[in-house]
Amino acid sequence: MLDKRLPDRTVGRLSLYRRLLSELRKRGVSHVYSHELAKAAGVTAAQVRRDVMATGYSGSPTRGYEVEELAASIGKVLDGPARQNVALVGVGNLGRAMLAYFSGRRPNLSIVAAFDSDPGRVNRVINGVRCYPMGELSRVVAEEGITVGVIAVPTTAAQEVAAALIRAGVTGLLNFAPTPLHTPPHVYVQDMDVTTSLERVAYFARQSSEKNTGA
Amino acid sequence: MLDKRLPDRTVGRLSLYRRLLSELRKRGVSHVYSHELAKAAGVTAAQVRRDVMATGYSGSPTRGYEVEELAASIGKVLDGPARQNVALVGVGNLGRAMLAYFSGRRPNLSIVAAFDSDPGRVNRVINGVRCYPMGELSRVVAEEGITVGVIAVPTTAAQEVAAALIRAGVTGLLNFAPTPLHTPPHVYVQDMDVTTSLERVAYFARQSSEKNTGA
DNA sequence: GCCTGTGAAGCTATTCACAGCT
DNA sequence: AGCTGTGAATAGCTTCACAGGC
């Protein structure tokens, strides 16, 4: 059993490595060294080796990692046995961007249903995904075996939507609303708070300018 | 001088506290205890006290923090003396979501120009923001004194756009493209990688389900 | 020589726990 | 009694540095 829970930073980097490996494979590259992958990912070589270690895969000191095999090893850790279905709530600009972005991506993880409270946006298909009214949420989530929810609704509705998704059986949430969600401990929440991120970037951008000006 | 660089997690949380405080103020609340703010923000009370300490503000043991004053103290740290201008590159669904979201927000930080390579999307105003063709980027960034860039373009264009923004004088980037950017050390980059985030949520959602199933 | 895998060290971030105050 | 501010302890993450292998 190597699937004791990995740290979440590690999981994030593994996801990135896999995409980089897939890129390499397309370009016909068959082997890669930790320092090469590190450079592409913007991390240190030691970090890459630690992360690879966590997947249970071992490379060769002479040839480095086999691109194909490492990608498979990461997949075994990240993907698990069954395919996972995702529900998107909120089909505004952000929600549509998500649909466009994930349509026809990894077969192991796909958005299979969208929901919105606006009657003008429901009962149609966007990027191959059926858009339902909110009232159908618990039924569809249960029927489709959805385990992950993406919250792309206005702040005021976020908590309520989260609660509904959790009640319907979802155990992971990606939250774009700039408000912390109150959720039971068995639910994993990842916040994608654009406001906070932008303020953070502004803060450090300013630090950089000041340093340059001051020196 | 209390403006030695704060850790970036701290900056992120301060941004969140400020929004929560603004909410409290609207509701007429004048004082708040660390444990109350902590609950609202989803962190521990000790964490809140540490973060507040970093701003230089002190509360009272009897009444807690004064909402108004704490918000002001956070502002003094986060906002700096002058207003900061932001450029958005890429006016697809995601870019438009950003424009809608940030139009008329904090006066200290606002998107003042957008850029796109598609001629059909330029030379008009969306949510009060003028949309220019890519060729105008370096001129407008310089003229408007823009220090922060938001990258909302397809993966293939991201690196090139980042380079152009940096050449024009930007020192902070918010990157929505799912690829790491190669940037000089004086530039701060914050990645908002939706692919990675969603895979991470899926991983931990699965862990939760398994734990429940297994127990 | 240059790689990987990894124990140990180093760093950073968070939490504990309590003195001091009202 | 219940709060804040904070030194000290802890936990978590990253990097160092080197043994082992080709």
Side-chain angles (χ1 to χ4, degrees), chain B residues 107-187:
Chain B
N108 271 54
L109 184 64
S110 68
I111 300 179
V112 297
F115 301 90
D116 204 296
S117 60
D118 180 343
R121 300 211 270 229
V122 304
N123 291 321
R124 54 179 173 137
V125 175
I126 304 176
N127 283 293
V129 178
R130 179 81 182 266
C131 190
Y132 301 89
M134 290 300 286
E136 305 275 322
L137 192 146
S138 59
R139 182 182 64 77
V140 175
V141 167
E143 282 180 13
E144 300 271 6
I146 289 170
T147 56
V148 172
V150 177
I151 298 180
V153 300
T155 313
T156 48
Q159 178 61 55
E160 188 188 354
V161 165
L165 284 166
I166 292 165
R167 245 182 284 117
V170 158
T171 53
L173 291 173
L174 184 58
N175 177 35
F176 284 96
T179 185
L181 300 175
H182 204 355
T183 56
H186 73 279
V187 176

Side-chain angles (χ1 to χ4, degrees), chain B residues 41-81:
Chain B
V43 301
T44 65
Q47 182 77 81
V48 168
R49 295 202 298 273
R50 274 272 175 240
D51 292 337
V52 169
M53 226 173 80
T55 71
Y57 176 77
S58 270
S60 125
T62 37
R63 309 205 128 273
Y65 303 112
E66 272 207 45
V67 170
E68 197 103 22
E69 286 184 13
L70 178 52
S73 182
I74 292 175
K76 216 176 326 186
V77 175
L78 289 194
D79 293 336

Side-chain angles (χ1 to χ4, degrees), chain A residues 5-6 9 15 18-19 78 84 101 106 171 178 186 190 193 195-196 199-200 202 205-208, chain B residues 5 9 15 18-19 78 84 101 106 171 178 186 190 193 195-196 199-200 202-203 205-208:
Chain A
R5 324 267 181 289
L6 299 173
R9 311 275 188 90
S15 159
R18 174 159 66 173
R19 261 174 296 145
L78 289 194
Q84 281 178 278
Y101 193 75
R106 341 207 86 272
T171 53
H186 73 279
Q190 161 93 247
D193 184 334
T195 306
T196 291
E199 290 204 338
R200 181 152 52 172
R206 186 154 44 79
Q207 301 297 317
S208 297
Chain B
R5 324 266 181 289
R9 308 274 189 90
S15 158
R18 175 160 63 173
R19 260 174 298 145
L78 289 194
Q84 281 178 278
Y101 193 74
R106 339 207 86 272
T171 53
H186 73 279
Q190 161 93 246
D193 185 334
T195 307
T196 292
E199 291 202 338
R200 183 153 49 172
Y203 175 83
R206 186 153 45 77
Q207 301 297 317
S208 298

Side-chain angles (χ1 to χ4, degrees), chain A residues 17 20 24 32-49 52 61-65:
Chain A
Y17 299 157
L20 294 169
L24 288 173
V32 66
Y33 294 120
S34 63
H35 68 265
E36 296 171 315
L37 202 48
K39 192 180 172 192
V43 300
T44 65
Q47 182 77 82
V48 169
R49 296 203 296 275
V52 169
T62 38
R63 309 206 128 272
Y65 303 112

